[in-house]
Amino acid sequence: MPGIQEIQKDLSDDFSLLVNWEEKYEYLIEMGMDMPAMKPQNKVDKNLVKGCQSSVWFDVQCCDGIMVFEADSDSLVVKGMVAMLHKLLNNQPAKDVLETELSVFEELGLWRHISSQRSNGLTAMVAHLKAAAVDCLAKED
Amino acid sequence: MSKDILSAKADFPILKQSVNDQPLVYLDNAATTQKPQVVIDVLVDYYTRLNANIHRGNHSLAVQATEAYEGARRKVAGYLNAERNHEVIFTRGTTESINLLAYTYGDKFVQAGDEVIVTQLEHHSNYVPWQQMCLRRGAIFRVLPLTDRGELDLALFERMLNAKTRLVAVNQVSNSLGTVNPVAEIIRLAHAYEVPVLVDAAQSVQHLAHDVRSLDADFYVFSGHKMYGPMGIGIFYGKEKWLEALPPFLSGGEMIETVTPEKVTFNVLPFKFEAGTPSVAQAIGLGAAVDYLQQFDQLELQKYEEDLLAYGFSLLAEIPDLVIYGSPAHRSGVLPFNVNGIQHYDMGVLLDSMGIAVRTGQHCTQPIMDALHINGTVRASLALYNNREDLDKLASGIRRVIKMLKR
């Protein structure tokens, strides 16, 4: 399993091949469509991320300090962002999730595009996953 | 000879830029319009050459700034065909204008058990202030529902009026659906009960011919920034008899005549309602926007925008799975829609990636969204500088998004 930094580098390389915003979004949406489906029974209120206007669900499990999660969104653009987070952080040690800075969004300029809109909340999603990582580490202690 | 409408786009420097490497197509005009160079120049000139606090100053700059500010009031009064200049009060915007009336009128004229009528078509800013005032006064907040077509039912409105009705608040054009409401009829019906009417003209003042005197509106409010003027300036127009009868809203400097520990006497109109240092540059900028608008033939302008809107709807109607909201007999400025199976948010973000600016969501009109059983729409909204090419780009952009998302 490659580490978060390595995946960030790969994602960044993939996106650098895309020439314009339309293509970047197209790629992002495809990633969302390719993400493993979330079980419908996990799409419940307790898994909703607060602070997103479109609905975003994360069901995070912690197993021996490794974070495993399913996620979904009713917005396909947001689902693409969710899929990126899934690619980056699923099956990773909680310690790494907590400590690694996710620079790839900044690099791609997607922060500027998406997270600044209050209707989204990439920030809220990342914060949600980091909080889950804290819980996961606490359990391990 | 009036100015050619098709030449207008060149007057707006912001429209010359690219967004996401695409030429900007700005279709979010119901949220705010862009500013022509002449308005921008006036703001720069004010701070470069004229800035001083107005009224009471006896130095040259203060005198000139006061004259420019009062000149702007005269321009707005002329534009609205108000009977007197002092019926035009400067505020920060539509929201402040509505709150001004909700507080002052509520305090003076609304008692427990009285009724206030608004409509389901209102923006939250012409809904919540009345709802809150009714809560404060123990009055009954009544909402005229919209019809399936997204219009107001005048017969039902007439039945809601009674001896306990104290005020009616209604918009001239809905910001969400673009419905043009029969405000002249509403005013006539309300006046039969001696009930005053506030007209929220935030979405109409830039699109429709307006005349507060022939409309017989008691109160008429709007924002400068939606009619090519600066942000931070708005208008509260009221008939003199009402403005004399109402107590002041904010208190402080400017609005007083004499002050002792025991009592104050208030200044005359319009200063009674303009406490503190006003937004002088913005007011003068609004005056410049009025001058700009008056270069066009007003009826020609209205016709141009109506034709453009009809063209936009004809393009949208050809797109499979696209749903247009409301079907009012008369609509102005707004194209509200969704595409089945596509989130309005996704549509907005992806159109933006093509340089097309629209608004998505509830547009501060939850009561309308509830009536339509939806959680939001995509809204494209027009201004005088838009043209058919902008709408062609919107339509092809929507088709492109559908291709991207529906596979």
Side-chain angles (χ1 to χ4, degrees):
Chain A
M1 179 79 197
I4 300 173
Q5 288 296 18
E6 209 175 318
I7 303 169
Q8 288 208 97
K9 170 96 184 37
D10 288 348
L11 278 171
S12 188
D13 290 347
D14 290 351
F15 270 92
S16 70
L17 299 174
L18 307 170
V19 294
N20 59 31
W21 278 105
E22 243 179 284
E23 285 189 4
K24 284 180 192 182
Y25 276 117
E26 226 159 13
Y27 188 67
L28 195 69
I29 289 159
E30 239 164 68
M31 278 176 64
M33 288 174 171
D34 292 344
M35 180 171 63
M38 187 177 198
K39 289 185 212 61
Q41 66 266 30
N42 287 335
K43 284 199 208 173
V44 289
D45 281 356
K46 80 169 174 65
N47 288 334
L48 264 176
V49 180
K50 288 194 181 75
C52 302
Q53 192 175 296
S54 39
S55 300
V56 178
W57 298 269
F58 281 101
D59 181 46
V60 187
Q61 305 294 331
C62 175
C63 192
D64 297 331
I66 304 287
M67 270 175 62
V68 180
F69 65 90
E70 289 184 343
D72 201 0
S73 171
D74 57 356
S75 149
L76 291 176
V77 171
V78 176
K79 192 171 173 176
M81 309 296 290
V82 169
M84 264 181 95
L85 287 168
H86 190 263
K87 215 165 236 188
L88 285 161
L89 305 179
N90 184 45
N91 258 321
Q92 297 290 347
K95 189 169 171 297
D96 294 355
V97 171
L98 201 57
E99 288 172 0
T100 314
E101 203 196 325
L102 297 179
S103 54
V104 63
F105 296 104
E106 184 82 53
E107 247 171 71
L108 302 181
L110 284 170
W111 278 117
R112 181 173 65 79
H113 262 255
I114 295 199
S115 70
S116 62
Q117 297 187 22
R118 72 183 165 153
S119 49
N120 184 264
L122 184 54
T123 319
M125 290 191 262
V126 172
H128 183 88
L129 289 170
K130 297 237 173 194
V134 171
D135 289 349
C136 186
L137 287 172
K139 256 185 231 163
E140 215 185 352
D141 295 338
Chain B
M1 174 82 185
S2 54
K3 189 172 159 66
D4 173 23
I5 298 164
L6 289 171
S7 73
K9 200 160 206 166
D11 300 333
F12 293 77
I14 205 169
L15 300 175
K16 297 184 179 106
Q17 70 181 310
S18 288
V19 167
N20 297 323
D21 308 322
Q22 312 267 0
L24 170 64
V25 177
Y26 187 78
L27 293 170
D28 192 18
N29 294 290
T32 196
T33 56
Q34 300 302 346
K35 322 304 172 197
Q37 189 65 51
V38 286
V39 168
I40 299 167
D41 287 347
V42 160
L43 293 175
V44 173
D45 181 64
Y46 175 79
Y47 286 115
T48 311
R49 201 174 61 74
L50 211 60
N51 179 51
N53 210 331
I54 56 167
H55 301 131
R56 293 178 313 278
N58 53 13
H59 59 81
S60 299
L61 287 186
V63 171
Q64 285 178 61
T66 303
E67 180 40 43
Y69 179 78
E70 291 305 325
R73 194 191 309 276
R74 287 192 295 273
K75 285 177 189 176
V76 174
Y79 189 60
L80 297 178
N81 194 27
E83 204 169 338
R84 302 168 186 87
N85 294 325
H86 63 239
E87 290 174 323
V88 171
I89 311 292
F90 285 117
T91 64
R92 277 190 302 139
T94 309
T95 299
E96 185 177 295
S97 297
I98 294 169
N99 275 278
L100 184 162
L101 190 67
Y103 277 92
T104 59
Y105 189 90
D107 278 2
K108 179 115 182 221
F109 295 108
V110 180
Q111 308 300 329
D114 287 346
E115 299 181 1
V116 169
I117 302 175
V118 305
T119 86
Q120 202 174 6
L121 270 179
E122 301 312 307
H123 187 284
H124 293 159
S125 60
N126 197 29
Y127 191 97
V128 181
W130 301 113
Q131 180 192 50
Q132 294 301 305
M133 184 268 272
C134 286
L135 287 172
R136 287 194 300 275
R137 306 299 297 172
I140 300 160
F141 178 68
R142 302 192 65 187
V143 182
L144 174 65
L146 58 123
T147 66
D148 292 344
R149 299 183 59 150
E151 295 178 313
L152 299 176
D153 180 342
L154 277 181
L156 185 57
F157 171 68
E158 197 169 2
R159 288 201 295 280
M160 284 171 78
L161 285 164
N162 63 56
K164 286 192 164 294
T165 312
R166 288 291 165 268
L167 186 122
V168 174
V170 61
N171 63 41
Q172 196 162 19
V173 171
S174 151
N175 72 304
S176 257
L177 299 181
T179 310
V180 179
N181 289 316
V183 288
E185 270 303 287
I186 287 172
I187 290 168
R188 195 182 60 77
L189 292 168
H191 283 179
Y193 286 83
E194 293 179 358
V195 173
V197 177
L198 171 130
V199 177
D200 170 359
Q203 298 295 342
S204 57
V205 73
Q206 68 283 44
H207 295 303
L208 307 179
H210 40 263
D211 181 334
V212 290
R213 241 187 291 181
S214 71
L215 197 59
D216 204 17
D218 302 281
F219 307 102
Y220 195 82
V221 300
F222 57 91
S223 299
H225 74 93
K226 291 191 203 285
M227 54 173 288
Y228 315 104
M231 286 189 169
I233 191 76
I235 295 297
F236 175 77
Y237 160 86
K239 282 182 184 166
E240 184 186 55
K241 66 165 184 176
W242 283 114
L243 296 185
E244 292 290 2
L246 291 170
F249 176 37
L250 302 174
S251 48
E254 185 74 32
M255 52 77 73
I256 46 79
E257 200 172 63
T258 59
V259 180
T260 67
E262 292 75 33
K263 78 175 217 192
V264 296
T265 54
F266 298 122
N267 205 340
V268 295
L269 294 173
F271 312 115
K272 172 180 157 186
F273 291 104
E274 292 181 3
T277 297
S279 302
V280 181
Q282 290 87 330
I284 298 169
L286 176 56
V290 168
D291 285 343
Y292 178 77
L293 270 170
Q294 286 188 323
Q295 295 177 86
F296 300 95
D297 180 288
Q298 297 304 299
L299 288 176
E300 201 182 304
L301 187 59
Q302 193 173 322
K303 174 84 170 53
Y304 173 79
E305 291 188 345
E306 278 171 9
D307 288 350
L308 196 59
L309 190 71
Y311 179 71
F313 277 119
S314 73
L315 292 180
L316 294 191
E318 289 169 8
I319 298 175
D321 288 332
L322 187 143
V323 182
I324 292 165
Y325 294 103
S327 53
H330 190 185
R331 204 180 318 229
S332 171
V334 173
L335 300 123
F337 67 92
N338 270 320
V339 174
N340 286 332
I342 294 180
Q343 272 259 345
H344 45 82
Y345 170 83
D346 288 347
M347 181 62 78
V349 170
L350 295 173
L351 287 175
D352 177 62
S353 77
M354 304 166 199
I356 302 167
V358 296
R359 189 150 294 250
T360 65
Q362 302 185 328
H363 317 294
C364 293
T365 54
Q366 282 179 30
I368 298 179
M369 299 300 138
D370 290 347
L372 298 173
H373 307 292
I374 53 175
N375 65 6
T377 67
V378 186
R379 182 187 72 183
S381 52
L382 307 180
L384 61 86
Y385 40 69
N386 289 122
N387 53 31
R388 288 188 168 213
E389 194 190 340
D390 293 337
L391 292 168
D392 291 338
K393 285 182 179 167
L394 172 70
S396 63
I398 295 167
R399 288 176 190 275
R400 180 92 189 90
V401 172
I402 294 172
K403 246 187 218 155
M404 285 166 82
L405 295 181
K406 284 197 164 179
R407 272 173 301 156

